[in-house]
Amino acid sequence: MKLDIYDDRYRPIGVEEKEVVHRNGLWHRTFSALAVDPARRVVWLQKKSAGRYDFDRPDHADVTVGGHYHAGESLRDGIREVREELGLEVDYADLHPLGIRQTAVTLSPTYVENEFQHWHLIPIDLPLTDVPFGDTEVSGLVELGIDDALNLAEGTHEQAPALYAIRTADGVRYDEGTLARDELVPSYLKTDLLFPRLFIAAERYSTGTRRRLFW
C-alpha cells in the first residue's frame, strides 16, 4: 500500500510504501473515529485480532475505527475504513469532525508512528447486535456507557460494565461482562489524554452540542 507523505508542517512531499513510511518515521495521514449513540449514551471500542502488531496486547480496547489514507485519497475517502472494519454503510457527511492530532511516537524499532490523525465522531443509532463486521482485523467490539468510559479513562474506576460482540468461527457471540482500565490502550491515557478527551467530546455531543466541539 502506498501512502502520501508530508513534512512536519503537513506539506505534501511525495508518496511511499506503508512499510517504508513506518520504518523511517515519515509523516502521513490517518482516519480515526469513535462511534457514539447519543440516545443511549454509549460508545463502542474495537478489539483487534491477535498478531496484527508486535507492540500492543491483542486484547487492548482501541478506538472504534482507524486506518491509513491511501495515496491520492481525499479526507472524505477515510469513510472507507468504517465499511471495511465494521461492515456499515456510513456517509462522510454524517460524521462529526473533531480536528487533527499530530503525534510522533516510536512503538517498536521498525514501527515509528509520525501521523496527522483526522479524528471524528460517528453518530450511530443501532444496537451492537446489528453490526455486520467487515475486515478480519477486528475481533470484536465493546459497548460502554459514556460515564463508565470516562470513569475508566480518568482512573476513578478500575473496571466498568460492558457489552461484548466477539467474533468466533461460528459467527458473533454477545456477552455481558466488564472492561478493565488496563485493557484500554495505555498511550491513550497518558501524555495528551486522548481517551478522556474523546469521551468528553462524545458526552458533549450526546447532550446536543454540535458547534465548536473540539476534542
Side-chain angles (χ1 to χ4, degrees):
M1 177 198 305
K2 288 186 178 293
L3 308 180
D4 292 319
I5 56 173
Y6 302 82
D7 66 14
D8 60 358
R9 295 188 179 184
Y10 208 177
R11 296 177 297 203
I13 58 175
V15 175
E16 189 53 270
E17 291 288 344
K18 179 182 175 182
E19 292 77 9
V20 176
V21 167
H22 281 290
R23 184 171 64 246
N24 296 340
L26 303 177
W27 289 97
H28 59 285
R29 300 175 301 161
T30 61
F31 172 92
S32 302
L34 177 71
V36 54
D37 186 330
R40 296 191 298 126
R41 290 181 53 81
V42 300
V43 295
W44 292 347
L45 300 180
Q46 181 189 132
K47 291 275 193 170
K48 295 283 188 186
S49 294
R52 292 289 301 181
Y53 305 105
D54 60 2
F55 46 78
D56 275 333
R57 281 172 34 184
D59 60 341
H60 274 152
D62 206 337
V63 294
T64 321
V65 173
H68 294 78
Y69 283 97
H70 297 174
E73 286 190 319
S74 71
L75 295 181
R76 297 177 64 89
D77 291 330
I79 198 67
R80 162 184 53 77
E81 293 288 342
V82 182
R83 294 191 293 270
E84 291 178 358
E85 296 189 3
L86 302 185
L88 296 174
E89 291 296 328
V90 178
D91 191 278
Y92 187 84
D94 295 330
L95 271 58
H96 188 98
L98 295 176
I100 302 173
R101 176 184 185 239
Q102 185 174 1
T103 180
V105 60
T106 299
L107 296 173
S108 81
T110 59
Y111 203 97
V112 181
E113 198 170 75
N114 289 349
E115 295 180 342
F116 294 99
Q117 299 175 346
H118 290 259
W119 282 92
H120 309 75
L121 293 179
I122 308 173
I124 53 173
D125 182 22
L126 74 165
L128 200 59
T129 52
D130 285 356
V131 178
F133 288 100
D135 199 317
T136 54
E137 171 183 341
V138 182
S139 66
L141 290 173
V142 186
E143 181 177 283
L144 288 169
I146 292 175
D147 292 335
D148 291 325
L150 272 168
N151 287 335
L152 285 182
E154 293 173 345
T156 58
H157 290 66
E158 290 302 315
Q159 61 181 24
L163 176 64
Y164 286 82
I166 303 168
R167 297 179 70 162
T168 70
D170 300 319
V172 182
R173 186 178 78 247
Y174 303 95
D175 292 331
E176 292 184 356
T178 59
L179 182 73
R181 187 172 191 270
D182 65 5
E183 292 180 81
L184 298 175
V185 176
S187 60
Y188 291 173
L189 299 174
K190 304 172 183 177
T191 313
D192 63 352
L193 305 177
L194 179 62
F195 263 146
R197 293 161 68 190
L198 287 173
F199 297 150
I200 288 170
E203 194 277 333
R204 292 183 62 208
Y205 186 89
S206 296
T207 62
T209 302
R210 298 293 187 271
R211 297 177 62 245
R212 295 188 291 274
L213 182 60
F214 302 115
W215 58 276

